[in-house]
Amino acid sequence: DARVTQTPRHKVTEMGQEVTMRCQPILGHNTVFWYRQTMMQGLELLAYFRNRAPLDDSGMPKDRFSAEMPDATLATLKIQPSEPRDSAVYFCASGLGGSQPQHFGDGTRLSIL
Amino acid sequence: DAKTTQPPSMDCAEGRAANLPCNHSTISGNEYVYWYRQIHSQGPQYIIHGLKNNETNEMASLIITEDRKSSTLILPHATLRDTAVYYCIVRSLYSGGGADGLTFGKGTHLIIQP
């Protein structure tokens, strides 16, 4: 089965460091989403792309977060500088748009000390 | 997106059918109903979706009432591996303003008892 691949699976770093999370969407999928999950807030949409163009990033803290799609096979989410409150599991999902479902990766578990 | 209401938790005996309800009384005509589940430490897994007709796939069946204000996800023969949090989500087809994203509630924690 085709899968969304996320790297790294786990990341522990100190406050102030730059963090980059990567996502390889399912081949042929033209929409890519970034979500964040915490115990307090649950699953929240951060940003999404269609055909590599950013469509909405209103869920993302603009001052420190950035999301890009350098090419159709790679999406990145960067945090600079990182803060302890950014500790969460970050999920990437991809889909074909329209009514077709999104498929999720297994996430990056991020801990900022 | 319309909001959904699900019971916080449910139990079901292994081998029996698990019926998970969802209320979405404010759903609009262009909104689909999607079901996902999340097993501990994994990403959400797509199960099934539908607009107004009942749907069935290899994982589950989705029954949507005629007025579309509620639906039921049916796992026909539950196993221990079906223990997970199940999310019912309604989503519009029309893009813009984050409408393409999924809005997750708290879901139902389904526990399959041996």
Side-chain angles (χ1 to χ4, degrees):
Chain A
D1 283 346
R3 296 174 61 86
V4 174
T5 303
Q6 292 187 247
T7 57
R9 290 295 314 277
H10 304 273
K11 176 76 174 178
V12 179
T13 192
E14 292 187 346
M15 175 178 169
Q17 297 297 305
E18 177 177 301
V19 173
T20 299
M21 291 168 273
R22 294 177 173 80
C23 168
Q24 181 177 357
I26 292 172
L27 187 65
H29 283 188
N30 66 342
T31 56
V32 176
F33 305 80
W34 284 103
Y35 293 84
R36 175 172 64 183
Q37 186 172 33
T38 62
M39 289 293 292
M40 293 297 295
Q41 300 296 327
L43 269 157
E44 305 172 285
L45 177 68
L46 295 176
Y48 75 98
F49 296 77
R50 181 178 298 127
N51 297 323
R52 295 177 55 202
L55 285 194
D56 184 50
D57 60 2
S58 58
M60 217 163 61
K62 299 290 191 305
D63 55 339
R64 298 183 298 107
F65 284 58
S66 62
E68 296 179 347
M69 278 201 75
D71 62 60
T73 65
L74 176 65
T76 62
L77 180 65
K78 290 186 181 181
I79 308 174
Q80 170 63 21
S82 58
E83 297 181 2
R85 59 179 167 154
D86 301 329
S87 297
V89 183
Y90 290 81
F91 290 104
C92 175
S94 71
L96 291 168
S99 66
Q100 294 304 302
Q102 300 171 23
H103 297 274
F104 286 74
D106 281 333
T108 294
R109 186 173 295 275
L110 178 64
S111 295
I112 308 297
L113 306 177
Chain B
D1 286 346
K3 292 186 177 178
T4 62
T5 304
Q6 299 178 254
S9 65
M10 291 181 63
D11 287 351
C12 179
E14 190 178 16
R16 304 297 293 269
N19 296 274
L20 291 92
C22 179
N23 277 314
H24 30 80
S25 58
T26 60
I27 194 170
S28 60
N30 64 8
E31 288 180 317
Y32 279 71
V33 179
Y34 294 80
W35 283 83
Y36 283 78
R37 71 181 182 184
Q38 188 172 24
I39 296 169
H40 181 61
S41 81
Q42 297 181 18
Q45 178 189 21
Y46 165 74
I47 302 173
I48 199 167
H49 75 287
L51 182 63
K52 53 184 179 181
N53 297 322
N54 297 336
E55 302 286 346
T56 295
N57 62 20
E58 65 278 5
M59 289 183 69
S61 294
L62 174 60
I63 309 298
I64 302 175
T65 58
E66 193 168 342
D67 64 8
R68 302 187 68 239
K69 292 185 177 181
S70 66
S71 59
T72 301
L73 178 74
I74 302 172
L75 308 178
H77 304 287
T79 71
L80 297 178
R81 288 180 296 179
D82 292 322
T83 292
V85 178
Y86 287 75
Y87 298 98
C88 169
I89 301 165
V90 295
R91 174 179 161 268
S92 171
L93 275 188
Y94 299 109
S95 64
D100 278 347
L102 297 171
T103 301
F104 287 82
K106 296 188 184 303
T108 295
H109 187 194
L110 175 66
I111 299 171
I112 307 301
Q113 305 282 2

